[in-house]
Amino acid sequence: MPTTHGTSELDLTAYLARIQWSGERVANARTLRSLHRAHVLHIPFENTEAVGGSAPSLALPDLERKLVRSARGGYCYEHNTLLAAALRAFGFEVTYLATRVRASVRGETPTRPRTHMVLMVRVPDAETPYLADVGFGTTGLLEAVPLVADTAVERGAWRVRLVHEPHAGRQDLWVLQLAPNGGGWNDLYEFTEEPFEGPDFEVANWFVATYPRSPFRQRLFAQRPGVDSHLALFDRQLVRTHGDGTVHERALRDNAEVLRTLATDFGIELPAGTELPG
């Protein structure tokens, strides 16, 4: 099973070049927000290993080779492990958290395991920690947000907020919600501030990538979040969603067109001859 452990350090200069970020390397809230935004906008979301039945490595050298030095992306464990390494190099304190996704299926919201990985980031000299998550795809955060309840934050053509919900546990239950500007709120995921460790996500990574009923095993996902619109590929269906609710869809013809679209529209270059489902 791939491991997240090791003594290697991230090539921070290469990472910052990959996300096209430049600025003073100081750990403050402005830096956190801008790093988060640059990562989301420049490294795509994809599940090509998982849809083929294998769990991607979470070892930092492998993440650097794939997400930093190659025209590739990844899913939540890869993205947030990489961001955590970069934030720690800047001097931020980072804690792994596990969330329960609340996305609806055919009008119902099934109870899922807590398998989505996010980060709680403490900023020096700031009382309130931040929620950071660069691995939720098109509907996720654009910038890290303070862990404060009932405060809407602009997210381009959308808004996000955190709310509290009562539950049986001892810790507060947080829920992240998303809404189009002027529209109603939809739950994305729930979490507490209970800390998790790298090995917890090694298990989750293996499960979501290899369990036959996992959504990541059943269809190809590629996503490119934006400020005012999002681009997503589901198997051979290309979907662009705008902040005003307009959706444009196009069916791709074959595997060759999927590979070309991944390269040109998402910045994901897979090896020639790669076979994908669909």
Short mmCIF file of all heavy atoms in Angstrom, two decimals, residues 205-245:
data_model
loop_
_atom_site.label_atom_id
_atom_site.label_comp_id
_atom_site.label_asym_id
_atom_site.label_seq_id
_atom_site.Cartn_x
_atom_site.Cartn_y
_atom_site.Cartn_z
N ASN A 205 -7.51 5.99 0.92
CA ASN A 205 -7.07 6.04 -0.47
C ASN A 205 -7.20 4.68 -1.14
O ASN A 205 -7.72 4.55 -2.26
CB ASN A 205 -5.62 6.52 -0.50
CG ASN A 205 -5.05 6.62 -1.90
OD1 ASN A 205 -5.71 7.08 -2.83
ND2 ASN A 205 -3.81 6.19 -2.05
N TRP A 206 -6.74 3.65 -0.45
CA TRP A 206 -6.84 2.30 -1.01
C TRP A 206 -8.30 1.89 -1.19
O TRP A 206 -8.68 1.32 -2.21
CB TRP A 206 -6.13 1.31 -0.08
CG TRP A 206 -6.24 -0.11 -0.54
CD1 TRP A 206 -5.48 -0.74 -1.48
CD2 TRP A 206 -7.20 -1.07 -0.10
NE1 TRP A 206 -5.90 -2.03 -1.65
CE2 TRP A 206 -6.96 -2.26 -0.82
CE3 TRP A 206 -8.24 -1.04 0.83
CZ2 TRP A 206 -7.71 -3.41 -0.62
CZ3 TRP A 206 -8.99 -2.18 1.02
CH2 TRP A 206 -8.72 -3.35 0.31
N PHE A 207 -9.14 2.23 -0.23
CA PHE A 207 -10.56 1.85 -0.30
C PHE A 207 -11.26 2.52 -1.47
O PHE A 207 -11.91 1.85 -2.28
CB PHE A 207 -11.26 2.20 1.01
CG PHE A 207 -12.75 2.02 0.97
CD1 PHE A 207 -13.32 0.76 1.06
CD2 PHE A 207 -13.59 3.12 0.83
CE1 PHE A 207 -14.70 0.59 1.00
CE2 PHE A 207 -14.96 2.96 0.78
CZ PHE A 207 -15.53 1.69 0.87
N VAL A 208 -11.17 3.84 -1.58
CA VAL A 208 -11.93 4.52 -2.63
C VAL A 208 -11.39 4.21 -4.02
O VAL A 208 -12.12 4.33 -5.01
CB VAL A 208 -11.99 6.04 -2.41
CG1 VAL A 208 -12.60 6.37 -1.05
CG2 VAL A 208 -10.63 6.69 -2.56
N ALA A 209 -10.11 3.79 -4.10
CA ALA A 209 -9.53 3.50 -5.41
C ALA A 209 -9.74 2.06 -5.85
O ALA A 209 -9.65 1.77 -7.05
CB ALA A 209 -8.04 3.80 -5.40
N THR A 210 -10.06 1.16 -4.92
CA THR A 210 -10.14 -0.26 -5.29
C THR A 210 -11.48 -0.91 -5.00
O THR A 210 -11.79 -1.96 -5.57
CB THR A 210 -9.04 -1.07 -4.56
OG1 THR A 210 -9.24 -0.97 -3.14
CG2 THR A 210 -7.65 -0.53 -4.91
N TYR A 211 -12.29 -0.32 -4.12
CA TYR A 211 -13.60 -0.91 -3.81
C TYR A 211 -14.49 -0.83 -5.06
O TYR A 211 -14.68 0.25 -5.62
CB TYR A 211 -14.24 -0.14 -2.66
CG TYR A 211 -15.61 -0.63 -2.25
CD1 TYR A 211 -15.83 -1.97 -1.93
CD2 TYR A 211 -16.68 0.25 -2.16
CE1 TYR A 211 -17.08 -2.41 -1.54
CE2 TYR A 211 -17.94 -0.18 -1.76
CZ TYR A 211 -18.14 -1.52 -1.46
OH TYR A 211 -19.38 -1.95 -1.08
N PRO A 212 -15.02 -1.95 -5.53
CA PRO A 212 -15.74 -1.95 -6.80
C PRO A 212 -16.90 -0.97 -6.89
O PRO A 212 -17.21 -0.46 -7.97
CB PRO A 212 -16.23 -3.40 -6.93
CG PRO A 212 -15.27 -4.20 -6.11
CD PRO A 212 -14.89 -3.30 -4.97
N ARG A 213 -17.57 -0.66 -5.76
CA ARG A 213 -18.72 0.24 -5.79
C ARG A 213 -18.35 1.71 -5.56
O ARG A 213 -19.21 2.57 -5.53
CB ARG A 213 -19.75 -0.22 -4.76
CG ARG A 213 -20.40 -1.57 -5.11
CD ARG A 213 -21.30 -2.07 -4.00
NE ARG A 213 -22.38 -1.13 -3.70
CZ ARG A 213 -23.25 -1.29 -2.69
NH1 ARG A 213 -23.12 -2.35 -1.89
NH2 ARG A 213 -24.20 -0.41 -2.49
N SER A 214 -17.08 1.97 -5.40
CA SER A 214 -16.64 3.35 -5.22
C SER A 214 -16.90 4.15 -6.50
O SER A 214 -16.63 3.67 -7.60
CB SER A 214 -15.15 3.41 -4.90
OG SER A 214 -14.64 4.72 -5.04
N PRO A 215 -17.41 5.38 -6.40
CA PRO A 215 -17.61 6.21 -7.60
C PRO A 215 -16.32 6.42 -8.39
O PRO A 215 -16.36 6.55 -9.62
CB PRO A 215 -18.12 7.54 -7.03
CG PRO A 215 -18.69 7.21 -5.70
CD PRO A 215 -17.86 6.07 -5.17
N PHE A 216 -15.19 6.43 -7.70
CA PHE A 216 -13.92 6.65 -8.40
C PHE A 216 -13.47 5.44 -9.20
O PHE A 216 -12.59 5.55 -10.04
CB PHE A 216 -12.85 7.05 -7.38
CG PHE A 216 -13.11 8.38 -6.74
CD1 PHE A 216 -13.65 8.45 -5.47
CD2 PHE A 216 -12.85 9.55 -7.41
CE1 PHE A 216 -13.91 9.68 -4.87
CE2 PHE A 216 -13.11 10.79 -6.83
CZ PHE A 216 -13.65 10.85 -5.56
N ARG A 217 -14.06 4.28 -8.91
CA ARG A 217 -13.78 3.07 -9.69
C ARG A 217 -14.71 2.93 -10.89
O ARG A 217 -14.41 2.23 -11.84
CB ARG A 217 -13.92 1.83 -8.79
CG ARG A 217 -12.79 1.60 -7.84
CD ARG A 217 -11.58 0.97 -8.57
NE ARG A 217 -11.91 -0.41 -8.96
CZ ARG A 217 -12.03 -0.85 -10.21
NH1 ARG A 217 -11.92 0.00 -11.21
NH2 ARG A 217 -12.28 -2.11 -10.44
N GLN A 218 -15.87 3.58 -10.84
CA GLN A 218 -16.91 3.32 -11.81
C GLN A 218 -16.89 4.23 -13.03
O GLN A 218 -17.42 3.88 -14.07
CB GLN A 218 -18.27 3.40 -11.12
CG GLN A 218 -18.46 2.32 -10.07
CD GLN A 218 -19.78 2.44 -9.33
OE1 GLN A 218 -20.51 3.42 -9.48
NE2 GLN A 218 -20.10 1.45 -8.52
N ARG A 219 -16.29 5.43 -12.90
CA ARG A 219 -16.27 6.32 -14.06
C ARG A 219 -15.09 7.28 -13.95
O ARG A 219 -14.59 7.55 -12.87
CB ARG A 219 -17.58 7.10 -14.18
CG ARG A 219 -17.83 8.05 -13.03
CD ARG A 219 -19.24 8.61 -13.02
NE ARG A 219 -19.66 9.22 -14.26
CZ ARG A 219 -20.68 10.06 -14.38
NH1 ARG A 219 -21.37 10.40 -13.30
NH2 ARG A 219 -21.02 10.56 -15.54
N LEU A 220 -14.67 7.78 -15.11
CA LEU A 220 -13.59 8.74 -15.18
C LEU A 220 -14.09 10.11 -14.75
O LEU A 220 -15.16 10.56 -15.18
CB LEU A 220 -13.06 8.82 -16.62
CG LEU A 220 -12.07 9.94 -16.92
CD1 LEU A 220 -10.75 9.69 -16.19
CD2 LEU A 220 -11.85 10.07 -18.42
N PHE A 221 -13.31 10.78 -13.90
CA PHE A 221 -13.57 12.16 -13.53
C PHE A 221 -12.35 13.01 -13.87
O PHE A 221 -11.22 12.64 -13.53
CB PHE A 221 -13.83 12.31 -12.02
CG PHE A 221 -15.05 11.62 -11.50
CD1 PHE A 221 -14.95 10.41 -10.84
CD2 PHE A 221 -16.30 12.19 -11.66
CE1 PHE A 221 -16.07 9.77 -10.34
CE2 PHE A 221 -17.43 11.56 -11.15
CZ PHE A 221 -17.32 10.36 -10.50
N ALA A 222 -12.58 14.13 -14.51
CA ALA A 222 -11.56 15.16 -14.64
C ALA A 222 -12.26 16.49 -14.45
O ALA A 222 -13.35 16.71 -15.00
CB ALA A 222 -10.88 15.11 -16.00
N GLN A 223 -11.68 17.36 -13.64
CA GLN A 223 -12.36 18.62 -13.32
C GLN A 223 -11.35 19.76 -13.28
O GLN A 223 -10.22 19.60 -12.83
CB GLN A 223 -13.09 18.51 -11.97
CG GLN A 223 -14.11 17.39 -11.94
CD GLN A 223 -14.93 17.37 -10.66
OE1 GLN A 223 -15.31 18.40 -10.15
NE2 GLN A 223 -15.20 16.18 -10.15
N ARG A 224 -11.81 20.91 -13.79
CA ARG A 224 -10.99 22.12 -13.78
C ARG A 224 -11.82 23.25 -13.18
O ARG A 224 -12.65 23.86 -13.86
CB ARG A 224 -10.56 22.48 -15.21
CG ARG A 224 -9.33 23.39 -15.28
CD ARG A 224 -8.10 22.59 -14.92
NE ARG A 224 -6.95 23.45 -14.64
CZ ARG A 224 -5.85 23.48 -15.40
NH1 ARG A 224 -5.78 22.73 -16.49
NH2 ARG A 224 -4.83 24.24 -15.08
N PRO A 225 -11.67 23.50 -11.89
CA PRO A 225 -12.43 24.58 -11.27
C PRO A 225 -12.02 25.93 -11.86
O PRO A 225 -10.88 26.12 -12.29
CB PRO A 225 -12.03 24.49 -9.79
CG PRO A 225 -11.51 23.09 -9.61
CD PRO A 225 -10.86 22.75 -10.90
N GLY A 226 -12.97 26.85 -11.87
CA GLY A 226 -12.72 28.21 -12.31
C GLY A 226 -13.37 29.20 -11.37
O GLY A 226 -13.94 28.83 -10.34
N VAL A 227 -13.30 30.48 -11.72
CA VAL A 227 -13.87 31.52 -10.89
C VAL A 227 -15.35 31.71 -11.20
O VAL A 227 -16.19 31.74 -10.31
CB VAL A 227 -13.10 32.84 -11.07
CG1 VAL A 227 -13.74 33.96 -10.26
CG2 VAL A 227 -11.64 32.66 -10.67
N ASP A 228 -15.68 31.83 -12.48
CA ASP A 228 -17.06 32.07 -12.90
C ASP A 228 -17.69 30.90 -13.63
O ASP A 228 -18.87 30.92 -13.97
CB ASP A 228 -17.14 33.32 -13.78
CG ASP A 228 -16.73 34.57 -13.01
OD1 ASP A 228 -17.22 34.74 -11.87
OD2 ASP A 228 -15.91 35.35 -13.51
N SER A 229 -16.91 29.86 -13.94
CA SER A 229 -17.44 28.65 -14.56
C SER A 229 -16.51 27.49 -14.23
O SER A 229 -15.35 27.69 -13.86
CB SER A 229 -17.56 28.82 -16.08
OG SER A 229 -16.27 28.93 -16.68
N HIS A 230 -17.05 26.27 -14.35
CA HIS A 230 -16.30 25.06 -14.06
C HIS A 230 -16.36 24.14 -15.27
O HIS A 230 -17.38 24.10 -15.97
CB HIS A 230 -16.89 24.30 -12.87
CG HIS A 230 -16.99 25.10 -11.61
ND1 HIS A 230 -15.99 25.91 -11.17
CD2 HIS A 230 -17.99 25.20 -10.69
CE1 HIS A 230 -16.35 26.47 -10.03
NE2 HIS A 230 -17.57 26.07 -9.73
N LEU A 231 -15.30 23.38 -15.50
CA LEU A 231 -15.28 22.39 -16.57
C LEU A 231 -15.08 21.01 -15.96
O LEU A 231 -14.21 20.83 -15.10
CB LEU A 231 -14.14 22.70 -17.54
CG LEU A 231 -14.11 21.87 -18.82
CD1 LEU A 231 -15.33 22.16 -19.69
CD2 LEU A 231 -12.82 22.14 -19.59
N ALA A 232 -15.88 20.06 -16.40
CA ALA A 232 -15.80 18.70 -15.87
C ALA A 232 -16.00 17.69 -16.99
O ALA A 232 -16.75 17.93 -17.93
CB ALA A 232 -16.83 18.47 -14.77
N LEU A 233 -15.31 16.56 -16.86
CA LEU A 233 -15.47 15.44 -17.78
C LEU A 233 -15.88 14.22 -16.98
O LEU A 233 -15.21 13.84 -16.02
CB LEU A 233 -14.15 15.15 -18.51
CG LEU A 233 -14.18 14.01 -19.53
CD1 LEU A 233 -15.09 14.35 -20.71
CD2 LEU A 233 -12.79 13.67 -20.01
N PHE A 234 -17.02 13.63 -17.35
CA PHE A 234 -17.51 12.41 -16.73
C PHE A 234 -17.56 11.34 -17.81
O PHE A 234 -18.44 11.36 -18.68
CB PHE A 234 -18.90 12.63 -16.12
CG PHE A 234 -18.96 13.79 -15.16
CD1 PHE A 234 -19.58 14.98 -15.53
CD2 PHE A 234 -18.40 13.70 -13.90
CE1 PHE A 234 -19.64 16.06 -14.65
CE2 PHE A 234 -18.46 14.77 -13.01
CZ PHE A 234 -19.07 15.95 -13.39
N ASP A 235 -16.57 10.42 -17.77
CA ASP A 235 -16.38 9.47 -18.86
C ASP A 235 -16.23 10.23 -20.18
O ASP A 235 -15.22 10.89 -20.38
CB ASP A 235 -17.51 8.44 -18.90
CG ASP A 235 -17.39 7.42 -17.77
OD1 ASP A 235 -16.26 7.21 -17.27
OD2 ASP A 235 -18.41 6.85 -17.36
N ARG A 236 -17.25 10.22 -21.05
CA ARG A 236 -17.13 10.93 -22.33
C ARG A 236 -18.06 12.14 -22.42
O ARG A 236 -18.29 12.66 -23.51
CB ARG A 236 -17.41 9.97 -23.50
CG ARG A 236 -16.36 8.89 -23.66
CD ARG A 236 -16.62 8.03 -24.87
NE ARG A 236 -15.62 6.97 -25.00
CZ ARG A 236 -15.65 6.02 -25.91
NH1 ARG A 236 -16.67 5.98 -26.78
NH2 ARG A 236 -14.71 5.10 -25.96
N GLN A 237 -18.58 12.60 -21.29
CA GLN A 237 -19.48 13.75 -21.29
C GLN A 237 -18.74 14.97 -20.74
O GLN A 237 -18.33 14.99 -19.57
CB GLN A 237 -20.72 13.47 -20.44
CG GLN A 237 -21.89 14.40 -20.68
CD GLN A 237 -22.55 14.20 -22.04
OE1 GLN A 237 -22.33 13.17 -22.69
NE2 GLN A 237 -23.33 15.16 -22.49
N LEU A 238 -18.57 15.97 -21.58
CA LEU A 238 -17.88 17.20 -21.21
C LEU A 238 -18.93 18.23 -20.79
O LEU A 238 -19.85 18.53 -21.55
CB LEU A 238 -17.06 17.73 -22.38
CG LEU A 238 -16.14 18.92 -22.11
CD1 LEU A 238 -15.05 18.56 -21.12
CD2 LEU A 238 -15.54 19.42 -23.42
N VAL A 239 -18.79 18.79 -19.58
CA VAL A 239 -19.82 19.66 -19.01
C VAL A 239 -19.17 20.95 -18.51
O VAL A 239 -18.24 20.91 -17.70
CB VAL A 239 -20.55 18.98 -17.84
CG1 VAL A 239 -21.63 19.89 -17.29
CG2 VAL A 239 -21.14 17.64 -18.26
N ARG A 240 -19.67 22.08 -19.01
CA ARG A 240 -19.24 23.38 -18.49
C ARG A 240 -20.43 24.01 -17.76
O ARG A 240 -21.50 24.19 -18.35
CB ARG A 240 -18.74 24.31 -19.59
CG ARG A 240 -18.22 25.64 -19.02
CD ARG A 240 -17.66 26.55 -20.10
NE ARG A 240 -16.46 26.02 -20.71
CZ ARG A 240 -15.24 26.14 -20.21
NH1 ARG A 240 -15.07 26.77 -19.04
NH2 ARG A 240 -14.20 25.64 -20.83
N THR A 241 -20.22 24.34 -16.49
CA THR A 241 -21.26 24.92 -15.66
C THR A 241 -20.89 26.36 -15.33
O THR A 241 -19.78 26.63 -14.86
CB THR A 241 -21.44 24.13 -14.35
OG1 THR A 241 -21.72 22.76 -14.67
CG2 THR A 241 -22.57 24.70 -13.51
N HIS A 242 -21.82 27.29 -15.56
CA HIS A 242 -21.59 28.70 -15.30
C HIS A 242 -22.27 29.11 -14.00
O HIS A 242 -23.22 28.47 -13.53
CB HIS A 242 -22.12 29.54 -16.46
CG HIS A 242 -21.44 29.26 -17.76
ND1 HIS A 242 -20.33 29.94 -18.19
CD2 HIS A 242 -21.70 28.33 -18.72
CE1 HIS A 242 -19.94 29.48 -19.35
NE2 HIS A 242 -20.75 28.49 -19.70
N GLY A 243 -21.81 30.21 -13.43
CA GLY A 243 -22.33 30.66 -12.16
C GLY A 243 -23.79 31.07 -12.20
O GLY A 243 -24.46 31.08 -11.17
N ASP A 244 -24.30 31.39 -13.40
CA ASP A 244 -25.71 31.76 -13.51
C ASP A 244 -26.62 30.54 -13.67
O ASP A 244 -27.82 30.68 -13.87
CB ASP A 244 -25.92 32.72 -14.68
CG ASP A 244 -25.56 32.10 -16.03
OD1 ASP A 244 -25.18 30.91 -16.08
OD2 ASP A 244 -25.65 32.82 -17.05
N GLY A 245 -26.01 29.34 -13.57
CA GLY A 245 -26.79 28.12 -13.69
C GLY A 245 -26.82 27.52 -15.08
O GLY A 245 -27.32 26.41 -15.27
#
